[in-house]
């Protein structure tokens, strides 16, 4: 049976991206098409989204919302079937989609993403462009209010909510309950109230028919106080509805044999040209140790402060670091200072093509995250024979096979994991990395294992398809 699903998200590659959420939202429609699922993606009409739309059609006038007119557009963009919420007063802004020029959340973020949710609920109720979704799949807090709006309308479309990162709750002041059109009777502990605020994420977690997150380990972690970020009780309450489905990567975009940004290669031995080019680009001298790379947001989550502490251990063993990232001002300036070491190269900013050159040119990719719901860059590393050195948490625990004595004996290891997530444990992992790198035969076998490790969407796409069907059957 074919099924129609409306995916609701705040970002979507290749149109607008701040992190892995965009990659996943952009990849899902094509990944699940072979499962008989027709997916359309509902996005806010940011300038980049409107610019990417080919011929568009206005499919509905959604009336005034939060101080301005709102229309629903249908069209294709970035290879995706899109529905777009056109609302210039909410989305026509330069710069970051979540943050104003002062680096803080846009003050009307609750309204901006409530409009997205309201539009999704109207599409479920009335259809759009002659198309009505059987299921809504919402991503993170920005899609959290869909369920409440469906309830208010009496629309019974099942909702699946995926938690990509529970750190972001989408809080709003309760004085906005009326403005947002929420039912004030649901402002309780059993509803969307969270310590005196409206929590869009909590609303979504409680109203969804099914919940998922992006790895099995993170699903387990979410139910613990250490990782649940204040919502672990809600997650435990909904444990029967929760499952972990690991992300895949776009194997066309991330394919070392065809990648236009690098010197293509099919075997790890052929990575050398990329390594030499990367060293030259970052001004790093020749060295016998491993060239480590990082491509990341620079935030507390990613543990890159720990890497700063552990760096001397790496460089003392002949190792080097090339890092591309942007984020916290303190981390940015700390990395700028670290670049005084000739064996450390730093690029602050966001650069897709450079991220490909780093993943192709590195010997190892470092992901020392304090928590990591799934993580994508370690998956790119696997595909490119660039061995991941990762913290044992979330999706990093599920996607890398540790080169422990047992992993090596079984001949299946693909990288290095460390625990706990401390500078000391990271130092130990970097020393293990240097030891393994000094054994070329063993290293090459790890690279071959890594490149063979499945990182595509196949199995996860089937699981999402089964979940949509299950959600529909349960209504
Ligand atoms: P998160 O979503 O938490 O940031 P992920 O590992 O899931 O972490 O996804 C991050 C995505 O953003 C990857 O596609 C990664 O390559 C990309 N990325 C992160 N920082 C940069 C950067 N500075 N330049 C280019 N791409 C980046
Ligand atoms: C979030 C998480 C990251 C995950 C991504 C896509 O941004 O931090 O671990 O890979 O979402 O699901």
């Amino acid at each position: 049976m074919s099924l129609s699903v409306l995916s609701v998200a705040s970002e979507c590659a290749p149109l607008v991206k701040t992190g892995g959420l965009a990659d996943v939202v952009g990849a899902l429609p094509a990944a699940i098409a072979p499962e008989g699922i027709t997916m359309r993606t509902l996005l806010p009409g940011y300038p980049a989204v409107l610019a990417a739309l080919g011929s568009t059609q206005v499919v509905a006038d959604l009336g005034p919302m939060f101080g301005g007119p709102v229309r629903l557009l249908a069209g294709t963009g970035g290879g995706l079937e899109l529905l777009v919420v056109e609302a210039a007063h909410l989305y026509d802004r330069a710069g970051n989609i979540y943050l104003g020029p002062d680096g803080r959340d846009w003050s009307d973020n609750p309204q901006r993403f409530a409009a997205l949710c309201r539009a999704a609920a109207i599409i479920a109720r009335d259809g759009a462009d002659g198309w009505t979704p059987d299921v809504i799949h919402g991503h993170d807090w920005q899609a959290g209010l869909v369920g409440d709006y469906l309830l208010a309308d009496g629309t019974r479309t099942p909702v699946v909510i995926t938690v990509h990162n529970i750190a972001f709750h989408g809080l709003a002041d309760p004085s906005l309950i009326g403005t947002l059109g929420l039912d004030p009777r649901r402002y309780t502990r059993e509803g969307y109230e969270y310590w005196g605020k409206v929590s869009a994420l909590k609303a979504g977690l409680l109203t969804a028919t099914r919940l998922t997150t992006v790895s099995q380990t993170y699903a387990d972690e979410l139910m613990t106080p250490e990782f649940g970020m204040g919502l672990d009780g809600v997650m435990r309450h909904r444990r029967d509805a929760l499952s972990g489905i690991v992300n895949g990567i776009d194997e066309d975009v991330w394919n070392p044999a065809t990648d236009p940004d690098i010197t293509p290669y099919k075997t790890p031995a052929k990575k050398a040209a990329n390594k030499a080019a990367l060293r030259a680009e970052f001004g790093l001298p020749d060295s016998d140790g491993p060239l480590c790379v990082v491509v990341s947001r620079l935030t507390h989550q990613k543990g890159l402060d720990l890497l700063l502490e552990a760096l001397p251990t790496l460089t003392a063993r002949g190792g080097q670091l090339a890092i591309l990232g942007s984020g916290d001002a303190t981390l940015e300036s700390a990395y700028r200072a670290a670049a005084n070491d000739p064996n450390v190269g730093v690029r602050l900013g966001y650069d897709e093509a450079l991220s490909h050159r780093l993943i192709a040119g590195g010997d190892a990719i470092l992901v020392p995250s304090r928590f990591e719901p799934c993580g994508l860059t370690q998956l790119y590393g696997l595909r490119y024979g660039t061995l991941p050195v990762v913290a044992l948490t979330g999706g990093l625990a599920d996607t890398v096979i540790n080169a422990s004595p047992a992993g090596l004996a079984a001949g299946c290891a693909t990288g290095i994991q460390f625990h706990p997530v401390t500078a000391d444990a990271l130092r130990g992992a970097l020393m293990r990395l240097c030891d393994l790198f000094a054994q070329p035969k063993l290293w090459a076998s790890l690279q071959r294992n890594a490149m063979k490790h499945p990182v595509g969407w196949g199995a996860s796409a089937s699981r999402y398809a089964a979940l949509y069907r299950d959600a529909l059957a349960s209504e």
Side-chain angles (χ1 to χ4, degrees):
M1 182 190 77
S2 73
L3 209 80
S4 300
V5 177
L6 180 69
S7 174
V8 181
S10 56
E11 53 183 278
C12 177
L15 307 176
V16 53
K17 166 169 167 176
T18 73
L21 168 65
D23 291 296
V24 173
V25 171
L28 256 187
I32 58 163
E35 305 284 337
I37 310 279
T38 307
M39 181 174 272
R40 287 190 169 191
T41 308
L42 179 70
L43 296 174
Y46 311 118
V49 171
L50 294 178
L53 276 180
S55 61
T56 48
Q57 204 193 332
V58 179
V59 291
D61 188 340
L62 304 182
M65 276 188 218
F66 312 124
V70 180
R71 299 192 306 175
L72 185 66
L73 311 179
T76 53
L80 300 157
E81 291 290 331
L82 299 177
L83 291 166
V84 173
V85 184
E86 185 197 52
H89 60 298
L90 300 175
Y91 307 127
D92 186 10
R93 298 174 193 181
N96 187 288
I97 53 175
Y98 306 121
L99 313 173
D102 58 357
R104 304 169 94 176
D105 285 358
W106 294 110
S107 61
D108 60 350
N109 273 355
Q111 291 91 325
R112 294 173 75 227
F113 297 106
L116 180 72
C117 296
R118 190 76 200 106
I122 294 172
I123 295 167
R125 188 188 64 198
D126 302 342
D129 197 15
W131 180 87
T132 308
D134 299 305
V135 175
I136 293 182
H137 184 176
H139 302 271
D140 275 350
W141 75 264
Q142 291 89 352
L145 296 179
V146 172
D148 277 85
Y149 291 141
L150 290 173
L151 275 175
D153 283 354
T155 311
R156 298 187 49 118
T157 309
V159 180
V160 174
I161 290 283
T162 295
V163 178
H164 294 264
N165 193 332
I166 207 158
F168 304 106
H169 290 190
L171 298 180
D173 194 85
S175 61
L176 285 175
I177 289 173
T179 308
L180 297 176
L182 293 170
D183 180 347
R185 287 168 305 181
R186 290 187 37 76
Y187 182 65
T188 62
R189 274 186 60 161
E190 289 69 40
Y192 56 74
E193 187 268 346
Y194 181 80
W195 298 104
K197 299 272 187 196
V198 172
S199 165
L201 181 59
K202 186 179 173 215
L205 298 179
L206 288 172
T207 54
T209 317
R210 292 283 182 274
L211 298 174
T212 73
T213 188
V214 288
S215 67
Q216 184 54 52
T217 294
Y218 194 58
D220 297 337
E221 288 172 343
L222 281 177
M223 291 185 274
T224 68
E226 188 185 350
F227 291 97
M229 306 250 177
L231 288 170
D232 47 293
V234 178
M235 299 307 302
R236 287 194 297 277
H237 172 64
R238 298 242 45 209
R239 71 185 327 139
D240 292 343
L242 174 66
S243 51
I245 304 180
V246 74
N247 292 331
I249 63 171
D250 186 328
E251 293 181 288
D252 294 329
V253 174
W254 292 96
N255 181 350
T258 57
D259 191 329
D261 293 314
I262 65 165
T263 304
Y265 59 92
K266 288 195 171 132
T267 61
K270 301 272 169 59
K271 276 168 70 74
N274 292 296
K275 181 169 172 179
L278 188 61
R279 275 211 172 110
E281 183 168 3
F282 277 76
L284 299 170
D286 275 346
S287 165
D288 291 338
L291 172 55
C292 298
V293 298
V294 171
V295 177
S296 184
R297 294 187 286 121
L298 301 180
T299 63
H300 183 74
Q301 173 189 347
K302 301 294 177 177
L304 292 166
D305 50 320
L306 305 175
L307 178 58
L308 283 168
E309 286 183 59
L311 259 185
T313 303
L314 178 69
T315 50
R317 295 280 305 263
Q320 298 176 317
L321 175 72
I323 175 169
L324 166 65
S326 60
D328 292 354
T330 7
L331 274 171
E332 287 197 358
S333 61
Y335 271 98
R336 224 177 268 125
N340 286 329
D341 183 328
N343 285 303
V344 177
V346 176
R347 292 286 180 282
L348 298 176
Y350 190 94
D351 185 336
E352 285 287 336
L354 178 55
S355 74
H356 284 246
R357 298 199 291 278
L358 280 156
I359 308 270
D363 294 306
I365 179 157
L366 312 182
V367 194
S369 306
R370 291 190 165 86
F371 68 95
E372 195 60 78
C374 179
L376 296 177
T377 62
Q378 85 280 8
L379 301 178
Y380 307 153
L382 290 170
R383 188 107 205 275
Y384 281 63
T386 305
L387 298 190
V389 178
V390 303
L392 185 67
T393 186
L396 303 173
D398 295 358
T399 56
V400 175
I401 303 172
N402 190 20
S404 62
L408 290 173
C412 61
T414 60
I416 293 174
Q417 292 172 321
F418 65 92
H419 182 77
V421 192
T422 59
D424 259 350
L426 175 56
R427 279 188 201 101
L430 293 173
M431 286 198 279
R432 276 200 282 151
L433 169 71
C434 293
D435 292 342
L436 291 171
F437 189 70
Q439 304 171 65
K441 267 199 174 151
L442 179 57
W443 184 261
S445 73
L446 296 176
Q447 287 182 306
R448 282 194 299 274
N449 290 348
M451 291 180 82
K452 278 191 296 205
H453 191 90
V455 289
W457 274 101
S460 296
S462 308
R463 290 196 59 200
Y464 274 118
L467 188 83
Y468 299 145
R469 297 203 157 91
D470 177 46
L472 190 58
S474 77
E475 279 296 308

